[in-house]
Amino acid sequence: MSANYTLIILFIAACLDYLIGDPWDWPHPVKFLGWIITHYTKQIFKLTKPYQDNSHVFILRLSGILLAIALVLGSGIISWLIIQALRINFTQFPLLTVIIESILLASCFAGKSLSMAAKEVLQLVRSDNLIQARQKLSMYVGRDTENLSISEIFRAIFETVTENATDGVIAPLFYALVGAIIPGVGSVPLAFAYKAASTLDSMVGYKEAPYTDIGWFSAKLEDVLTWLPCRLNVLTIALLSGKPLYVWRICQRDAVKDPSPNAGWSECAYAATLGVQVGGTNLYKGVVKHKPLLGDPTYPITPEIIDRALQLTRYCFLIWLGLFFICYIMSGSIGIV
């Protein structure tokens, strides 16, 4: 497909995510991936239940490796085959192929969904519906939300918005852009492969039982795949802050304390830029857990701060997309692409 089509697909996908997002009642690839992961893990847990020796751990870990490899590679290969079939069978209707590719690619971006989720909870808080706000928040965060105060609700929203900005928005865009410059690959397959890895991590990539062994490979794989786009996003945010050295220094001071090699960096970059502090004590199924403090508490976390964090993500997305367009067009004009 020509360079013009590549840029058009990226542009339409970005517009679709910004304008529509992922409505709950629409079919979505992540829902299908989630169905596969859920049923696969249930079967593996059932098969390994009689074993409680070292073979139990080995089978779970091997099963987790097979699941991750099959789902990530399968997502990329199947999406690539779908696109190739469209291009072969609808050569007279290239616009149809462009539209379908754009829709598939847009499904990999979560910018609109992330913004809508945050604003739904904030609206309930503004309306003094704290019970409903906590219930809605529980759909998006892993911590217990039943007794969160307003400030804790704001912190939870800010943390999920800034953590998922990387693996839900920027990293899929990164792999879509990488795929766009690889001959014969395209944006959709690499973005889909990453989305599969991210979905695996969110569903089974826990250190706690019962996913400790079956999910360890998925967690490590997602960490590796997210590492570079996360650092690039942190640098972009630091530059947008107008105080890049300060933001980088705070990240080096605090982000390294977080057990996640990426989530801490992502959250810390936003916190340092906006002058707030995240982390602290959370409850997970009644168990108290302490997360390292990231950033300095110059300002309290407010709805306005959360909105600015969402704007930062949009700016990063547009900057990456714009720079890619410029470089792609320039490289084409001199015969590189």
Side-chain angles (χ1 to χ4, degrees):
M1 186 165 283
S2 69
N4 289 338
Y5 280 125
T6 299
L7 298 183
I8 290 171
I9 290 167
L10 286 165
F11 177 76
I12 294 176
C15 290
L16 287 174
D17 178 63
Y18 179 77
L19 296 173
I20 301 175
D22 300 318
W24 279 101
D25 54 345
W26 286 23
H28 195 282
V30 169
K31 293 180 181 179
F32 180 64
L33 292 173
W35 183 87
I36 293 175
I37 295 167
T38 299
H39 283 74
Y40 179 87
T41 52
K42 282 183 178 179
Q43 291 301 315
I44 295 300
F45 289 148
K46 187 183 297 184
L47 290 171
T48 58
K49 191 174 182 179
Y51 306 97
Q52 296 300 326
D53 52 11
N54 291 335
S55 63
H56 176 263
V57 173
F58 174 78
I59 295 171
L60 285 177
R61 292 208 165 195
L62 180 60
S63 300
I65 294 172
L66 294 175
L67 172 64
I69 293 175
L71 209 60
V72 172
L73 289 181
S75 297
I77 292 171
I78 291 172
S79 60
W80 182 85
L81 290 173
I82 291 172
I83 291 169
Q84 297 308 307
L86 288 170
R87 293 178 181 177
I88 292 171
N89 293 294
F90 295 97
T91 53
Q92 302 301 317
F93 305 97
L95 182 59
L96 177 62
T97 303
V98 168
I99 292 172
I100 294 176
E101 282 194 53
S102 300
I103 293 172
L104 290 173
L105 183 57
S107 70
C108 296
F109 304 143
K112 180 73 171 182
S113 301
L114 200 59
S115 177
M116 288 177 61
K119 291 178 179 179
E120 284 178 3
V121 179
L122 289 175
Q123 183 57 44
L124 290 170
V125 174
R126 290 191 182 100
S127 303
D128 293 325
N129 294 322
L130 289 185
I131 294 177
Q132 292 183 25
R134 294 174 183 130
Q135 291 174 344
K136 179 68 70 172
L137 181 62
S138 67
M139 298 170 61
Y140 307 117
V141 300
R143 73 195 68 181
D144 299 343
T145 62
E146 294 86 354
N147 300 307
L148 293 183
S149 65
I150 291 178
S151 62
E152 289 173 326
I153 290 174
F154 289 162
R155 176 168 68 88
I157 297 172
F158 186 90
E159 288 175 354
T160 193
V161 160
T162 55
E163 176 183 350
N164 289 293
T166 293
D167 56 19
V169 182
I170 301 302
L173 175 62
F174 172 83
Y175 284 102
L177 299 181
V178 171
I181 62 176
I182 299 177
V185 177
S187 296
V188 174
L190 281 193
F192 259 65
Y194 176 79
K195 201 68 179 179
S198 179
T199 304
L200 278 163
D201 179 61
S202 65
M203 292 188 67
V204 299
Y206 298 101
K207 294 182 179 179
E208 295 81 12
Y211 300 110
T212 308
D213 296 308
I214 199 170
W216 75 273
F217 184 79
S218 293
K220 295 297 182 184
L221 178 63
E222 199 271 348
D223 286 344
V224 171
L225 293 177
T226 308
W227 192 93
L228 180 56
C230 178
R231 271 40 180 200
L232 292 174
N233 192 38
V234 168
L235 289 173
T236 308
I237 292 169
L239 292 172
L240 287 173
S241 73
K243 45 186 180 181
L245 294 180
Y246 168 78
V247 172
W248 189 253
R249 185 170 68 252
I250 296 299
C251 286
Q252 288 184 313
R253 184 194 73 184
D254 296 342
V256 294
K257 302 173 186 175
D258 196 283
S260 169
N262 299 310
W265 279 83
S266 186
E267 291 180 29
C268 192
Y270 284 89
T273 297
L274 298 172
V276 299
Q277 187 175 75
V278 296
T281 301
N282 297 322
L283 281 176
Y284 294 88
K285 297 181 180 179
V287 179
V288 177
K289 292 188 178 181
H290 301 282
K291 293 188 66 177
L293 297 176
L294 310 175
D296 296 320
T298 306
Y299 306 105
I301 298 175
T302 62
E304 291 73 27
I305 291 288
I306 293 170
D307 189 58
R308 288 174 61 190
L310 291 168
Q311 287 179 345
L312 271 176
T313 303
R314 286 194 290 269
Y315 293 155
C316 290
F317 187 95
L318 291 173
I319 287 171
W320 283 32
L321 197 60
L323 288 175
F324 177 83
F325 276 26
I326 293 170
C327 294
Y328 201 94
I329 292 170
M330 290 181 62
S331 62
S333 67
I334 60 177
I336 296 177
V337 178

